Amino acid sequence: MPLIHRRLPLSLHHHHRPISLPLPSTATRKFVRFISMSTSSQETATEEKQELLTQVSKYHNQTKHSFTNYARGPHGLDWANQPNPFRRYISAPLLPLLHPTSDDQADSPPYSSLFNSLPSPKPISKTTISQLFYNSLALSAWKTTGFSTWSLRVNPSSGNLHPTEAYIISPAIDSLSEHSFVAHYAPKEHALELRARLPSGFFAGCFPEGSFLIGLSSIFWREAWKYGERAFRYCNHDVGHAIAAVSMAAAGLGWDVRLLDGLGYEELEKLMGLNTFPGFSIPSRPVKGRMPEIEFEHPDCVLLVFPVVELI
C-alpha cells in the first residue's frame, strides 16, 4: 500500500539568552510573512470550527425533548411527497441474492461467541454476500392491519422509516459479477442493482486481499416527512444501527469491519455513484405539489470488510 506522507508542523525554537540578529533578508521577510499567514489561517480555522460547534450545540438543544415539553415537529404530513421506503434504480441490472437455508443458519456461530472470538473467515462468494445482507439489512417481516401493510427490517430504525441505503463496492464475485463493481442493495427484492463496473486493479492496489466496501447513505426526507427538524438526529441513529448490524453479520462469517473515516463528502458521493443526481436546495417559500428531488441521498460513510487473519 502507498505510504502516507504527513506534513510536519513548523516549530519556532526560543533561546533563553538574547542573541543579535542580522537585518532580515528577502527570504527571511518572506518566511515571516508565511508564518504570519499560517497563524492567521489557523485562527480563521479555529473560529470556523468554533462556529460549527456552536451550530451543532444549537441544533442539539433546539431539537431535543425535555421533561416539560416535546421538541417541535411538523404540523401535518405532506401526503403529496410521501417518501418511498424502497429506493430502486430501474435501469440497473438486478442481481438476485440467495436466501439462506436452514443449513446455512445452523452453521452460524452463536451470537454470544462473536464477542470473544471470530470463526475462521469464509471466502467471498454469492452465498456469503447474500448471507451478509440477509442478516444485516434485509426485510425481516411484513405486517398488516386493516388496509395498511408495512415491512420490518433487520436493522432498527426510528419510526420504522429506514432512511439508510446501502451499497457494495467489491472485486469480482463468482455468479454475481465478472468485474469489480458498485451495486445498490435493494432489500425488498433482496438483490443487488449493478450501478457501475470498476477497473480490475482497483482493489488489488488499495485494499487487502479478500476485502470489499460497504457504503451507507441517508435519505433525510424519509424521517423529516414525519419528524421535521429532528430527522437529522434519527438518521444518524439509524446509520449507527446499520454499522452495528453489518458488523455483527460480518463477524458471523469471520470478517472484520472498519470505518474508513478519512474520506470526505465528495469522495463518498463519487464512490457510491451519488454525484450523478442533481443537488437539492431548500425552497425559499412553500411549494405545493410533488417535489421528487427532495428524496436526495446524503453519503454518510464507508466500511471496509475484510477476513480476519490469525497471527501465529
Side-chain angles (χ1 to χ4, degrees):
M1 296 182 65
L3 295 177
I4 300 176
H5 299 280
R6 297 184 181 274
R7 180 176 295 177
L8 298 178
L10 293 172
S11 59
L12 298 178
H13 301 279
H14 299 278
H15 296 268
H16 295 286
R17 57 186 178 82
I19 57 174
S20 59
L21 296 175
L23 293 176
S25 62
T26 303
T28 304
R29 287 196 297 272
K30 289 183 178 179
F31 177 75
V32 171
R33 283 201 300 271
F34 171 77
I35 293 298
S36 301
M37 289 174 60
S38 298
T39 303
S40 175
S41 299
Q42 291 175 0
E43 291 175 353
T44 302
T46 301
E47 292 175 359
E48 291 177 351
K49 183 178 180 180
Q50 184 58 47
E51 184 179 347
L52 291 173
L53 290 175
T54 301
Q55 186 177 354
V56 170
S57 178
K58 180 181 178 181
Y59 172 78
H60 171 70
N61 291 322
Q62 181 177 310
T63 60
K64 69 180 181 180
H65 297 314
S66 70
F67 289 108
T68 56
N69 64 286
Y70 291 110
R72 65 184 182 184
H75 298 291
L77 298 177
D78 183 1
W79 292 106
N81 289 293
Q82 183 177 4
N84 186 342
F86 301 109
R87 169 132 298 178
R88 283 296 311 276
Y89 296 93
I90 301 301
S91 59
L94 195 65
L95 310 176
L97 297 176
L98 304 173
H99 286 74
T101 64
S102 55
D103 292 336
D104 294 329
Q105 300 294 358
D107 291 339
S108 299
Y111 176 79
S112 58
S113 69
L114 300 179
F115 294 92
N116 299 320
S117 62
L118 299 184
S120 299
K122 295 185 178 180
I124 299 179
S125 65
K126 183 176 181 178
T127 299
T128 53
I129 292 296
S130 299
Q131 193 169 345
L132 173 72
F133 281 109
Y134 188 84
N135 291 338
S136 60
L137 303 173
L139 302 188
S140 58
W142 284 92
K143 290 194 171 185
T144 300
T145 178
F147 296 101
S148 299
T149 300
W150 67 96
S151 64
L152 302 178
R153 304 194 193 188
V154 176
N155 51 311
S157 171
S158 305
N160 194 39
L161 295 173
H162 295 282
T164 311
E165 295 290 328
Y167 295 81
I168 179 172
I169 302 97
S170 170
I173 298 176
D174 289 342
S175 303
L176 273 179
S177 175
E178 297 178 356
H179 309 271
S180 299
F181 65 97
V182 180
H184 169 252
Y185 176 61
K188 187 177 180 180
E189 294 76 14
H190 187 50
L192 298 178
E193 296 179 290
L194 186 61
R195 300 289 323 284
R197 291 178 177 176
L198 298 176
S200 57
F202 177 79
F203 276 86
C206 302
F207 301 104
E209 184 178 355
S211 63
F212 58 93
L213 303 174
I214 295 290
L216 299 174
S217 66
S218 292
I219 300 178
F220 296 140
W221 181 241
R222 287 182 185 167
E223 293 283 349
W225 180 76
K226 182 177 180 180
Y227 293 117
E229 63 186 8
R230 285 180 57 82
F232 185 66
R233 304 170 68 108
Y234 296 143
C235 288
N236 287 331
H237 286 161
D238 285 3
V239 170
H241 294 154
I243 292 174
V246 170
S247 299
M248 293 306 299
L253 296 166
W255 300 340
D256 203 350
V257 173
R258 288 291 182 271
L259 177 67
L260 302 183
D261 57 359
L263 299 177
Y265 179 91
E266 293 182 356
E267 290 83 3
L268 292 173
E269 195 177 41
K270 291 177 182 178
L271 191 62
M272 290 181 249
L274 304 179
N275 59 327
T276 59
F277 299 96
F280 174 76
S281 6
I282 298 176
S284 57
R285 56 187 178 80
V287 177
K288 292 184 178 180
R290 182 79 177 122
M291 196 164 42
E293 63 274 15
I294 202 171
E295 295 191 53
F296 73 97
E297 282 185 56
H298 176 279
D300 291 311
C301 63
V302 66
L303 311 173
L304 175 64
V305 185
F306 58 96
V308 177
V309 179
E310 295 183 1
L311 300 178
I312 300 177

